[in-house]
Amino acid sequence: MSTNPKGQRRKYHISQRTNQISPSGIRRFFDLLASIEGVISLGVGEPDFATPWHISEAAIESLKKGYTMYTSNSGMPELRQELSRYLRNNYNLEYNPDGELLITVGVSEALDLAMRALLNPGDEVIMSDPCYVSYNPCITLAGGIPVMVPTNEENNFELSAADIETRITRRTKAILIGYPANPTGAVMSRDKLAEIAEVAQRHRILVISDEIYAKLVYDVEHTCFATLPGMKENTILLNGFSKTYAMTGWRIGYAAAPREIIAAMTKIHQYTMMCAPTMGQVAAIEALRAGEGSATEMVEDYNRRRLVMVKGLRDIGLSCFEPKGAFYAFPSIKRTGMTSEEFAERLLTEEKVAVVPGSAFGECGEGYVRCCYATSLAEIEESLARMKRFVDKYGKEA
Ligand SMILES: Cc1ncc(COP(=O)(O)O)c(C=O)c1O
């Protein structure tokens, strides 16, 4: 609370919408983490790799040449052309670089734009619980209402089309899906996604598909939602460079969607962002042209770490659903009798290992913690040894 020159408390009138949302459950944790030395963090959801050097170098070269101005609102034409080629080569999808693609400040901005472009006050968006921490606040800030569909370990944290259908009302505007999933690492098969597509089409509801972890899959193939029959015209595809190319700080993402939707999103983007960072866009062009090899190497590395993490958690006696995508394991901590917040807080203070309480991702995340394995094998092994001590001390018999 601030005070005025007379020392009186000054009350600021923050908007109702802002007051409606809570600060991220992850943030409080990182404030605590920063105050403790020697912590191994399995908390942050980002690659531990630096951006492949040739990608950084392309951006450095562009700075030397003076490419430091705004770009077109929609993003650099070369980047949109590369992206269009990439989507054709990877998914056999045709998106016109002029009008069907928008370069954004990460998937974060693309999500916000999609919600603001689509939602009228009181419109509902259906999505899974647990889910990525930004989905709920983005919908609320756009005046919409999040409608949660519980998912659970027994059903591999997959969204069921039947469960979605029972929640559809006259106000349903969109279904928001995000597979491979944060925080569970779950993926969905093409058949199961096709069932969701069928429901969406029958009820004429748009699907917003956040596919930021599309390339981070292990022993399975990713299905791009827009490739399902009839879905290209009914999907807003969101993706970006943060995870695939270890480029979180460059802040580049994109939306691919029907022209009318991209035009609406661009209208908001041009007044609020103008354009995504120019240097980041240059780096993204290089990533699309020559980044595939480094991306594949990183995925192979994540896979090795995934196997160690999941086996390690199970050996400790924590049941752990097998994640087939992203870089998260989501073990159950129910046998300790603690809430996920309590578990995470005590593990941090007593054993100096940071994990994220599952409850930060929704009610169905209670009883679980998210462990990000995008960290070195040595740190994963040490964190497992510390967790074993902790669980041996507090874990009741399973
Ligand atoms: C599912 C999901 N979507 C979107 C984002 C945001 O990504 P970006 O860095 O592109 O804004 C994240 C980041 O963790 C994420 O996990």
Side-chain angles (χ1 to χ4, degrees), residues 45 105-109 111 132 135 182 210 212-213 240 242-243 248 251-253 328:
V105 181
V107 171
S108 304
E109 192 214 350
L111 258 170
Y132 174 50
Y135 292 167
N182 177 3
D210 173 359
I212 192 162
Y213 296 104
S242 290
K243 316 286 174 168
T248 45
R251 310 307 304 128
I252 305 293
Y328 308 108

Side-chain angles (χ1 to χ4, degrees), residues 198-366:
E198 191 277 320
V199 168
Q201 278 192 308
R202 193 152 34 80
H203 292 271
R204 296 173 176 274
I205 296 169
L206 271 175
V207 173
I208 303 168
S209 187
D210 173 359
E211 302 186 18
I212 192 162
Y213 296 104
K215 287 285 178 186
L216 275 59
V217 285
Y218 316 102
D219 310 327
V220 287
E221 255 195 43
H222 171 71
T223 297
C224 174
F225 202 84
T227 62
L228 294 164
M231 285 314 290
K232 181 171 172 264
E233 293 310 314
N234 212 26
T235 302
I236 304 180
L237 166 63
L238 308 181
N239 205 335
F241 295 79
S242 290
K243 316 286 174 168
T244 313
Y245 302 101
M247 288 176 62
T248 45
W250 298 84
R251 310 307 304 128
I252 305 293
Y254 60 89
R259 190 169 283 276
E260 199 180 333
I261 294 175
I262 290 294
M265 290 171 67
T266 306
K267 220 164 25 167
I268 307 170
H269 170 79
Q270 72 192 6
Y271 290 123
T272 52
M273 287 298 161
M274 302 271 266
C275 65
T278 305
M279 182 175 63
Q281 293 190 55
V282 173
I285 294 173
E286 173 66 16
L288 290 175
R289 286 185 181 155
E292 178 106 16
S294 346
T296 307
E297 276 173 30
M298 288 190 270
V299 172
E300 284 165 3
D301 230 71
Y302 293 138
N303 195 21
R304 282 190 282 277
R305 301 167 186 195
R306 177 181 77 103
L307 296 170
V308 172
M309 178 63 99
V310 172
K311 180 174 182 309
L313 290 166
R314 289 176 179 165
D315 287 349
I316 290 172
L318 297 179
S319 94
C320 185
F321 154 82
E322 189 182 350
K324 295 276 178 91
F327 36 47
Y328 308 108
F330 203 58
S332 163
I333 49 90
K334 291 176 187 164
R335 63 171 289 199
T336 63
M338 296 181 202
T339 64
S340 56
E341 276 244 358
E342 215 182 328
F343 181 96
E345 200 154 335
R346 289 174 73 172
L347 181 67
L348 179 59
T349 48
E350 292 177 32
E351 290 292 348
K352 299 189 178 183
V353 175
V355 296
V356 182
S359 52
F361 305 95
E363 280 173 25
C364 296
E366 183 50 82

